[in-house]
Amino acid sequence: MQRILLLLIMLFVVATLAGCAGNGEMIKAMSMNTRQDVFQELSAATPTPLGYSDLRIVSSLKTHMPGIYSAKDIHGTPEYMLLINVDGQAVQIAGSLRTATREPQTLRDPEAGEGMRYLFQKELRLKPGRHRIFASLPFEGIAVERVIELAEGSRNTLVLEPVYGSAPEKQRPGFYGVRSFKEGIRGFWVTYNGKSL
């Protein structure tokens, strides 16, 4: 039994490492359109016609100020974008950005301090049914992929919440696992219509 458990743990670690190494190639492939007929981009919410479903994609995240680490760093600039690919049709979403300063709400507040706040939003109209959604922050090298089911005539919301990196200076007793936007984004928590995916 212990050998099986050890084997499963090793397979999980290898799969995770292979997934991280392959994210760059997957992100590059997903940024290309292989189809043009999957969704329509909407400029505003309108009533959903028969035979369609609407999907609102939202993400709010914080990065450090531009130019802190190097002149080539695009954090805090309009070039920092969110990539969405639905069943082979891709779209780059520019975020609305603003300076955001926040006093710590708790000892473990990951968004405390001065940085740039991005709000990414996109309204899409699709045919009902199953769809494979790929979301990425290409500059960070992170990506998530989920399958969702859209009911005809429905309005749906997919939220991508950032998972920030661990702050190394906080690695002392009582502060393990403290995360900060200053350490970059390591992934997304995905919720669909209020339920975790």
Side-chain angles (χ1 to χ4, degrees), residues 84-184:
I84 299 294
N85 185 306
V86 182
D87 299 336
Q89 185 174 347
V91 61
Q92 292 265 353
I93 304 172
S96 62
L97 60 147
R98 62 179 170 81
T99 304
T101 302
R102 182 159 135 178
E103 294 299 319
Q105 306 295 314
T106 65
L107 286 174
R108 298 175 179 245
D109 187 354
E111 294 193 342
E114 185 179 20
M116 294 300 289
R117 163 75 58 198
Y118 284 86
L119 177 60
F120 298 101
Q121 295 185 86
K122 187 58 78 174
E123 295 269 349
L124 305 177
R125 181 155 290 158
L126 308 95
K127 293 278 189 185
R130 266 196 129 112
H131 295 280
R132 184 170 299 278
I133 310 285
F134 174 89
S136 172
L137 290 169
F139 189 76
E140 303 287 1
I142 63 163
V144 294
E145 193 171 26
R146 299 290 189 271
V147 174
I148 62 170
E149 187 79 32
L150 298 173
E152 183 174 354
S154 63
R155 293 192 47 75
N156 307 276
T157 304
L158 184 79
V159 179
L160 304 165
E161 295 181 53
V163 176
Y164 297 112
S166 295
E169 70 273 3
K170 303 288 185 186
Q171 298 302 315
R172 58 185 191 266
F175 287 91
Y176 291 108
V178 174
R179 298 187 175 275
S180 171
F181 74 92
K182 296 172 188 171
E183 302 303 319

